[in-house]
Amino acid sequence: MTVRREAFLDQVKERGTYDTVQEAERAARVVLALLGAHLVGEVRARLAARLPEAFALILLNPLQSAEPLSPERFVRATAAWIEGATERTAAWDVGAVLSTVADAAGDGLLKEVLLQLPEGYDLLFGRPQPT
């Protein structure tokens, strides 16, 4: 089931403790564009289908990545794309967005998403996996 845009952004705003919906949207756009570069095929399409249309399109038309980024490099890349961000604030942005995405995905799809990502992304999604 697709999450409504307002509900998605409200959840990101609350988790990121942003002052405005615009700040939440900016974070969501950057994080989803970077995430989309790491996912392929049916998994990316199924995840996109659970997101609001504007965010689904961002996930499906991602920024280009020459190689999969480690979780630490993903956070640094997020900081580079958000004006005025530091690694610390970018980590907050990533957590707010990806935990909201995890809720939209559900446990089964999230496990499939995590299989396509380098080790450690479970923590970025706020869903530590047993080792």
Side-chain angles (χ1 to χ4, degrees):
M1 186 169 124
T2 302
V3 177
R4 287 188 18 250
R5 183 178 191 279
E6 296 79 19
F8 183 85
L9 286 175
D10 284 348
Q11 198 167 21
V12 172
K13 181 178 180 266
E14 180 181 317
R15 290 179 180 181
T17 62
Y18 300 111
D19 292 328
T20 67
V21 171
Q22 290 76 19
E23 289 176 277
E25 183 168 359
R26 177 194 66 197
R29 288 179 175 280
V30 170
V31 172
L32 289 171
L34 288 168
L35 178 63
H38 290 73
L39 301 177
V40 295
E42 182 186 335
V43 170
R44 183 169 64 186
R46 287 176 38 224
L47 181 59
R50 298 202 183 174
L51 299 176
E53 183 178 5
F55 298 115
L57 292 173
I58 292 167
L59 187 74
L60 293 170
N61 297 293
L63 296 169
Q64 297 303 308
S65 180
E67 63 185 65
L69 299 175
S70 68
E72 296 80 15
R73 288 182 59 210
F74 188 92
V75 170
R76 282 197 295 269
T78 301
W81 280 96
I82 297 177
E83 185 178 333
T86 64
E87 284 187 38
R88 175 180 261 164
T89 62
W92 192 264
D93 295 331
V94 168
V97 175
L98 292 185
S99 65
T100 302
V101 168
D103 287 349
D107 291 341
L109 180 54
L110 180 60
K111 285 181 183 177
E112 293 179 57
V113 166
L114 290 172
L115 287 174
Q116 291 192 7
L117 298 169
E119 188 175 322
Y121 271 80
D122 55 334
L123 299 176
L124 295 181
F125 280 91
R127 301 294 198 285
Q129 303 293 305
T131 54

